[in-house]
Amino acid sequence: MQVPRWVVVTGVFIAGLFAFFIFFRSLWDVARFAMGQERTFAIIKPDAVAARSTGKIIDRIEQEGFLIKAMKKIDLQKDQAEKFYGVHKDKEFFSDLVAFMTSGPVIVMVLEKVNAVKAWRDLMGSTDPHKAAEGTLRQLFGTSISQNAVHGSDSLQNAEQEISFFFPEL
Ligand code: ATP
Ligand code: MG
């Protein structure tokens, strides 16, 4: 049976549109990379969510020029928290850290900006809120070295790993 000409033409047209779209998306990704745009992974931890500081932290993130590429509110499971903070499994605070991170909902986010990894670490401030610089998120919203309001990836490689851990679709 011969396929009608209009079916072939429509098919080629749709495939062409699709290829055009994919091509320009990749081109855009390359351009962003060339401009130094990066993605990092961030968490608003259970203490800050419980203190109803989510809105203030998100507002600050946007004011500082980050683009929120993805965001969701989740309850971390114990095995997820253990895996996520696996690098600290031999530290004495590990079980407290896992208990804390599973004590209530968290907001997980993918943030984009030029030099996003460093920019987000700078905005968070030092791990210990008492040592964090004035105006940083941990100084403003953290209360102790364990309850320090936010998490941020510490390298570009870890950022990509952490993003795929929570947002495999990206
Ligand atoms: P995060 O990985 O959460 O962004 P960070 O990179 O600043 O924080 P890490 O050394 O990776 O710090 O520690 C991970 C988390 O473990 C800290 O954010 C904190 O919640 C907890 N933690 C770190 N050091 C201590 C400590 N000495 N006592 C209690 N908890 C700690
Ligand atoms: Mg860390």
Side-chain angles (χ1 to χ4, degrees):
M1 194 188 89
Q2 209 178 347
V3 181
R5 202 179 144 82
W6 70 268
V7 174
V8 176
V9 171
T10 313
V12 168
F13 180 72
I14 291 172
L17 264 184
F18 201 65
F20 190 74
F21 176 73
I22 303 269
F23 176 72
F24 275 98
R25 243 194 92 144
S26 318
L27 215 64
W28 177 234
D29 283 344
V30 172
R32 274 177 33 238
F33 181 76
M35 291 184 294
Q37 289 285 348
E38 276 179 12
R39 299 191 307 177
T40 192
F41 175 74
I43 304 181
I44 303 178
K45 295 186 180 184
D47 55 333
V49 175
R52 302 190 179 202
S53 301
T54 302
K56 284 171 236 152
I57 293 174
I58 291 173
D59 186 35
R60 185 73 189 281
I61 287 171
E62 294 198 317
Q63 274 184 28
E64 297 286 340
F66 290 91
L67 189 65
I68 301 173
K69 297 290 285 183
M71 174 164 64
K72 60 188 174 188
K73 188 174 193 178
I74 58 168
D75 288 300
L76 264 185
Q77 301 305 303
K78 187 165 179 269
D79 60 322
Q80 280 182 307
E82 284 172 348
K83 205 166 161 196
F84 183 74
Y85 277 122
V87 66
H88 297 302
K89 66 177 185 302
D90 297 326
K91 308 263 175 67
E92 75 285 353
F93 59 79
F94 183 66
S95 56
D96 286 346
L97 175 59
V98 171
F100 165 58
M101 290 302 291
T102 55
S103 65
V106 298
I107 314 286
V108 290
M109 288 174 286
V110 177
L111 306 179
E112 190 177 280
K113 195 183 176 186
V114 171
N115 294 327
V117 171
K118 182 176 185 304
W120 175 238
R121 297 282 296 187
D122 288 347
L123 182 58
M124 288 197 307
S126 300
T127 309
D128 182 349
H130 299 113
K131 294 183 182 149
E134 192 75 26
T136 58
L137 295 174
R138 282 171 165 169
Q139 185 262 325
L140 291 169
F141 301 106
T143 49
S144 69
I145 192 161
S146 47
Q147 309 219 349
N148 56 7
V150 282
H151 159 79
S153 310
D154 57 12
S155 69
L156 198 52
Q157 193 188 349
N158 283 344
E160 287 305 319
Q161 261 174 31
E162 293 174 359
I163 289 169
S164 56
F165 189 75
F166 287 102
F167 297 95
E169 70 278 14
L170 298 182

